[in-house]
Amino acid sequence: MSNRRAIAAATALVLSAAAPAAAQTLTVGLGSEPSALDPHYHNLGPNNAMARHLFDTLILQDERQRLTPGLALSWKPLDDTTWEFKLRPNVKFHDGTAFAASDVAFTLKRAPDVPRSPASFGIYIKPITGVEIVDPLTIRFKTAAPYPLLPNDISTVAIVSQKHGENATTEDYNSCKAAVGTGPYKCVERVAGDRVVMARNDAYWGGAQPWQRVVFKPIKSAPTRVAALLAGDVDLIDDAPTADIERLKKDARLSVVQGVSNRVIYLHLDSDRAESPGIADKQGNPLKANPFKDPKVRKALSKAINRPAIVDRVMEGVAIPAGQLLPDGFFGVSSKLRVEPFDPEGARKLLAEAGYPNGFRVTLATPNDRYINDEKIAQAIAQMLTRIGIETKVDAMPGAVYFGRASKLEFSLMLVGWGSGTGEASSPLKSLLASFDQAKGMGAANRGRYSNPQMDRLLERALATVDDKGREALLQQATEVAIGDLGIVPLHFQVNTWAMKKAVKYDARTDEATLATGIKRAN
Amino acid sequence: MTAIAEPVAARPPAETPLRRFWSEFAANRLALFGLAGFVAVATIALAAPWISPQNPYDLAKIDILDGRLAPGAVGMDGVRFWLGTDDQGRDMLSAIFYGLRISLGVGASSTVLAVTIGGVLGLLAAYAGGRVETLIMRVVDIQLSFPAILIALVLLAVLGQGLGKIVVALVAVQWAYYARTIRGTALVERRKEYIEAAECLALSRNRILFRHLLPNCLPPLIVVATVQVAHAIALEATLSFLGLGLPITEPSLGLLIANGYEYMLSGKYWISFFPGLALLAAIVSINLMADQLRDVLNPRLKA
């Protein structure tokens, strides 16, 4: 008996000793795994969120994507085509080397052209035609035309160290070897599929962080992620599954935070090629013509989709039906565009008018681990399209496979999401709807190869308009043209849900990022 | 087999091998129970398209607005869903019927193919000996040293999705068991006098292999095959659960369970529970049958 008591006492001692140490470690369960720690490899939400711990940007975005000083203290246009940035002094990389303008210049050279990048940062950087280092803490950017969105665009690009980045491959960043930034956390290790571990950067210019160690655990299976939170293995999870939100809200040990994101979930259709790989007639013979080239067919498809039903049944109310690229309140949102009403009769009529009275067959490709309920949305859409005669098969695959194949144009119809990295409409317009042009960095994620010169011109003018009002009007017009053509078919805007132990708190972010820097101790 | 049951009860038993087999098999009540369960499951599987209230694979017939209804609920067009619906509005009862069809179909077809391939190779190894035997049996050894699920996962990752591909993967992981089993039996049998006699008569090699050796090696093969059918069904369900089997719009039992698993924590038990029950019923009834079959066909187990 006394023996047992001694063991109990010893255990209690060990536990109490361990408790403060454990509280120094923050463990976060992520719904999506970043595909790399290389901050320039893949312009993808989870990657960008991860990069913000290790690296800084010249300009930071707060939780509502407003711009705040980062590695740059101030910025201003000198003339129509020149921007000057004053850099923050006394900033050190994790290895102690000083941060200087040369690192910025190096970053801008590296970021747009990382080999094998599935979605590059070119859309944000290519407009910069020249870089001039005035002194170690002053840098100027030259552009060919006026470029008022430069601060927004530059706020998406992580600044890397020239010393470590020269000749470094994506793998060097993944192994933490080259992932030496100025950010609040240092890279400790990355085990693909299991964890990313970071340690506090005590010399961080923005002040030291509350957590000594942060462990990010990708837990793709939603029930497993919830179970990990309930069991106390993780302190916070993102992408809390819609099916469990009610239950999580009721749990006294947990709190739940929700917020509309800037991410639109949409269908991209191959509106360019004469013959498209995933389309066949009802007997299964490849179709000689690509029906999605016809705007009527695209319109029919949009009408066939019951968006409120998807929001209500698949998303359990946690989403907002979409009629354009960004939810209300964002810069560049058009007041003229409405959510397409559900109209299966009208859809059938349009299909018949377009010459497909009996419909056709198509395969809808979808990731199954990237967006909230992605695979289920795709199935619901398959039902709705099948009902108007477009017999739809769903091909679901992990995001890691999906994005590579989508960018190689292997799909005719695909479910995708786009979060505006800059928090305004030019980002989705440039990336999803502008005519594909690698040299200009346009249409980087235009996997349907939609192309409309009128919309390209409007966008080009918008990007060169310094006046905010004028620019917003042009962005609205460009959006109206592109959505009028159904260059993409918007479905809904995501509402993101984070669930956490009562001991920590987090503010919902419109960019969906789960940042350890935003996770504070409650009380 | 049920057809044979009646004459046994009606007339005094005449000693044919089949009747003797049946009376030994029927001596165990659990085995009869298993047989009855298997017949029921097999009937459902075969008749699924005619007895299901809904075609769960026809996307035009299912409606997302009927999604996640509890067992017994009535859908939008007045149809009652006795076992509820899944997240896409699929009638669970119909989905289970169709799921059983896939499970049993995949289990049976992969077993028949694997028995054929494994049986021929094992027989050949035992009869030919030498290098042929070494080659075949080392391949078997190597394959059996990997877990079946691993081989199947790799194969499906390479081949992609689809019913045919699942069968291929299941055949690939199973044939080695049969090859090893039949080789063991054949090694014993081929030293017996009747083979020697056949060889003295200068019968062709094929004739000796398939007309003399094979029939005498069959009983253990049948026993292993019955057990393996159940394994194959479980393996298919596992692969589907992991999302590697069939397309998500045509769910088999494993995929239904996987879909429902997401709703377990929120109390919608029926999406996982009933398909799980159906899978359990199929596998247990086959295993009960297999156990008794083993006892009957293995003379060494008889007192």
Side-chain angles (χ1 to χ4, degrees):
Chain A
M1 201 55 193
S2 67
N3 217 350
R4 206 178 285 172
R5 211 171 282 165
I7 291 172
T11 316
L13 243 173
V14 169
L15 282 179
S16 62
Q24 290 292 308
T25 298
L26 175 74
T27 311
V28 177
L30 296 176
S32 304
E33 187 180 9
S35 59
L37 288 186
D38 180 344
H40 305 141
Y41 169 70
H42 193 175
N43 181 11
L44 189 75
N47 292 32
N48 299 345
M50 204 50 70
R52 287 204 214 170
H53 296 91
L54 306 173
F55 304 93
D56 284 307
T57 48
L58 287 179
I59 302 172
L60 299 175
Q61 296 181 0
D62 70 3
E63 68 277 2
R64 303 200 41 211
Q65 292 186 290
R66 288 169 302 207
L67 304 182
T68 59
L71 288 180
L73 280 178
S74 65
W75 53 93
K76 59 171 192 283
L78 293 183
D79 55 56
D80 266 5
T81 58
T82 314
W83 281 83
E84 186 176 86
F85 280 68
K86 288 277 182 203
L87 304 182
R88 190 180 290 274
N90 305 323
V91 175
K92 299 239 182 306
F93 284 102
H94 296 154
D95 66 343
T97 52
F99 157 74
S102 54
D103 296 306
V104 179
F106 169 74
T107 295
L108 294 187
K109 214 168 76 220
R110 179 181 192 271
D113 296 307
V114 176
R116 294 189 310 280
S117 164
S120 89
F121 282 87
I123 54 165
Y124 300 133
I125 298 171
K126 288 270 164 91
I128 296 174
T129 50
V131 176
E132 184 196 339
I133 298 176
V134 180
D135 64 59
L137 292 178
T138 311
I139 191 164
R140 286 182 191 154
F141 302 130
K142 286 274 182 199
T143 58
Y147 182 22
L149 282 172
L150 188 136
N152 297 71
D153 283 0
I154 210 82
S155 75
T156 62
V157 183
I159 304 296
V160 298
S161 144
Q162 178 173 23
K163 182 179 152 199
H164 295 274
E166 239 153 18
N167 304 319
T169 61
T170 296
E171 283 68 37
D172 291 333
Y173 282 92
N174 288 344
S175 66
C176 288
K177 194 179 129 211
V180 177
T182 56
Y185 287 95
K186 298 176 184 176
C187 190
V188 175
E189 65 166 341
R190 170 184 188 257
V191 181
D194 186 57
R195 62 183 182 274
V196 176
V197 183
M198 297 178 185
R200 175 160 68 196
N201 172 13
D202 288 311
Y204 185 53
W205 58 265
Q209 296 295 313
W211 312 103
Q212 212 153 55
R213 225 175 130 78
V214 180
V215 182
F216 290 99
K217 292 189 79 67
I219 310 175
K220 288 185 192 173
S221 154
T224 314
R225 199 160 59 248
V226 172
L229 178 68
L230 292 173
D233 294 342
V234 299
D235 298 305
L236 177 142
I237 58 170
D238 63 6
D239 196 1
T242 49
D244 294 329
I245 289 174
E246 279 316 304
R247 181 204 143 97
L248 292 170
K249 278 182 176 167
K250 277 186 205 139
D251 196 316
R253 298 167 300 157
L254 305 176
S255 53
V256 170
V257 166
Q258 290 183 307
V260 185
S261 86
N262 60 22
R263 182 176 303 283
V264 61
I265 302 295
Y266 63 93
L267 295 178
H268 223 144
L269 330 89
D270 177 0
S271 52
D272 174 51
R273 280 175 287 183
E275 273 180 65
S276 201
I279 303 180
D281 67 13
K282 280 286 176 72
Q283 281 71 46
N285 311 310
L287 266 192
K288 282 279 159 263
N290 171 4
F292 292 144
K293 283 190 80 154
D294 188 340
K296 274 188 185 159
V297 176
R298 304 205 289 266
K299 187 81 177 168
L301 188 131
S302 183
K303 278 177 179 294
I305 296 169
N306 188 348
R307 291 173 179 80
I310 292 178
V311 167
D312 186 48
R313 291 309 165 112
V314 182
M315 310 300 289
E316 312 216 16
V318 190
I320 297 166
Q324 52 186 314
L325 302 167
L326 280 169
D328 283 344
F330 278 88
F331 189 88
V333 167
S334 159
S335 55
K336 288 188 197 140
L337 292 170
R338 297 266 174 275
V339 177
E340 182 81 55
F342 173 50
D343 176 13
E345 269 317 306
R348 272 187 217 107
K349 215 177 281 168
L350 274 174
L351 264 191
E353 275 176 39
Y356 301 96
N358 299 317
F360 51 91
R361 277 190 202 170
V362 68
T363 302
L364 169 59
T366 176
N368 55 16
D369 56 3
R370 175 67 191 97
Y371 311 112
I372 303 174
N373 296 335
D374 39 16
E375 188 183 52
K376 293 194 185 112
I377 303 165
Q379 289 179 69
I381 289 171
Q383 281 184 20
M384 295 164 184
L385 296 186
T386 303
R387 229 170 259 134
I388 64 155
I390 306 178
E391 229 174 84
T392 309
K393 248 178 51 190
V394 175
D395 190 2
M397 63 201 85
V401 179
Y402 172 85
F403 287 105
R405 290 185 61 189
S407 291
K408 275 191 249 155
L409 306 186
E410 289 185 24
F411 308 133
S412 305
L413 180 62
M414 60 209 110
L415 183 123
V416 207
W418 183 267
S420 171
T422 57
E424 45 74 62
S426 80
S427 153
L429 283 169
K430 278 200 286 190
S431 191
L432 311 179
L433 292 157
S435 301
F436 179 74
D437 185 338
Q438 204 156 17
K440 283 197 209 158
M442 289 298 208
N446 185 350
R447 297 166 179 128
R449 292 292 186 264
Y450 166 76
S451 174
N452 181 338
Q454 189 200 351
M455 135 73 209
D456 287 342
R457 272 196 304 276
L458 282 166
L459 178 61
E460 218 163 287
R461 271 176 55 206
L463 295 177
T465 305
V466 180
D467 165 45
D468 275 355
K469 272 232 165 73
R471 186 169 72 249
E472 181 161 27
L474 284 163
L475 287 176
Q476 286 165 343
Q477 284 172 37
T479 305
E480 284 155 17
V481 169
I483 296 297
D485 278 352
L486 289 162
I488 64 163
V489 178
L491 299 172
H492 57 257
F493 301 113
Q494 277 190 187
V495 171
N496 289 87
T497 308
W498 288 265
M500 62 211 84
K501 292 180 184 166
K502 274 264 157 59
V504 299
K505 57 181 187 191
Y506 191 66
D507 286 328
R509 295 182 62 98
T510 54
D511 61 6
E512 306 189 333
T514 303
L515 302 179
T517 48
I519 302 175
K520 304 275 188 302
R521 285 198 181 86
N523 61 62
Chain B
M1 284 183 204
T2 38
I4 311 168
E6 274 180 285
V8 171
R11 277 175 243 155
E15 272 293 285
T16 70
L18 210 57
R19 287 215 176 118
R20 198 174 64 226
F21 167 79
W22 171 248
S23 64
E24 281 177 24
F25 183 86
N28 185 335
R29 290 205 166 190
L30 266 180
L32 281 181
F33 181 71
L35 181 66
F38 175 73
V39 169
V41 167
T43 313
I44 288 175
L46 285 173
W50 298 279
I51 58 172
S52 299
Q54 180 194 66
N55 177 356
Y57 298 161
D58 184 352
L59 291 177
K61 296 270 161 54
I62 62 176
D63 197 321
I64 186 85
L65 294 174
D66 287 334
R68 300 191 306 272
L69 293 178
V74 178
M76 294 213 306
D77 41 9
V79 188
R80 192 175 285 279
F81 299 111
W82 291 106
L83 297 185
T85 58
D86 72 357
D87 57 301
Q88 293 291 321
R90 215 172 261 121
D91 176 32
M92 287 310 297
L93 186 67
S94 311
I96 289 168
F97 285 177
Y98 273 76
L100 279 173
R101 190 177 167 85
I102 294 182
S103 294
L104 290 192
V106 166
S109 57
S110 67
T111 304
V112 167
L113 282 170
V115 165
T116 314
I117 296 170
V120 169
L121 287 175
L123 211 55
L124 196 68
Y127 192 78
R131 278 194 192 168
V132 178
E133 180 175 27
T134 314
L135 181 72
I136 294 176
M137 294 324 288
R138 286 307 82 77
V139 173
V140 167
D141 287 343
I142 291 169
Q143 170 149 9
L144 289 182
S145 64
F146 288 103
I149 184 82
L150 182 71
I151 299 175
L153 279 175
V154 170
L155 271 174
L156 283 178
V158 174
L159 295 173
Q161 287 189 327
L163 201 57
K165 284 155 192 165
I166 283 220
V167 173
V168 170
L170 290 181
V171 169
V173 300
Q174 289 189 94
W175 72 273
Y177 295 104
Y178 303 114
R180 180 172 270 189
T181 309
I182 200 165
R183 171 179 166 267
T185 329
L187 277 180
V188 177
E189 291 292 327
R190 72 159 298 195
R191 294 201 193 90
K192 291 193 175 163
E193 282 97 350
Y194 71 92
I195 300 289
E196 241 172 71
E199 277 168 353
C200 288
L201 288 172
L203 296 181
S204 79
R205 179 173 150 158
N206 279 349
R207 182 151 180 198
I208 295 172
L209 264 179
F210 293 108
R211 297 293 294 274
H212 295 260
L213 197 49
L214 180 63
N216 288 293
C217 298
L218 273 183
L221 201 61
I222 293 172
V223 172
V224 176
T226 335
V227 178
Q228 280 296 326
V229 171
H231 279 182
I233 291 173
L235 192 55
E236 185 272 328
T238 312
L239 292 170
S240 296
F241 183 85
L242 295 173
L244 272 162
L246 297 161
I248 39 173
T249 43
E250 293 173 17
S252 66
L253 292 177
L255 199 53
L256 287 173
I257 296 171
N259 286 343
Y261 167 64
E262 293 179 31
Y263 295 96
M264 273 314 223
L265 289 175
S266 50
K268 299 186 176 70
Y269 66 92
W270 60 90
I271 310 178
S272 272
F273 180 72
F274 293 120
L277 215 57
L279 191 64
L280 189 76
I283 292 177
V284 167
S285 57
I286 293 174
N287 275 342
L288 287 177
M289 246 174 29
D291 278 355
Q292 180 66 1
L293 217 52
R294 186 194 59 208
D295 293 352
V296 173
L297 290 177
N298 189 345
R300 270 175 235 109
L301 286 177
K302 279 180 202 158

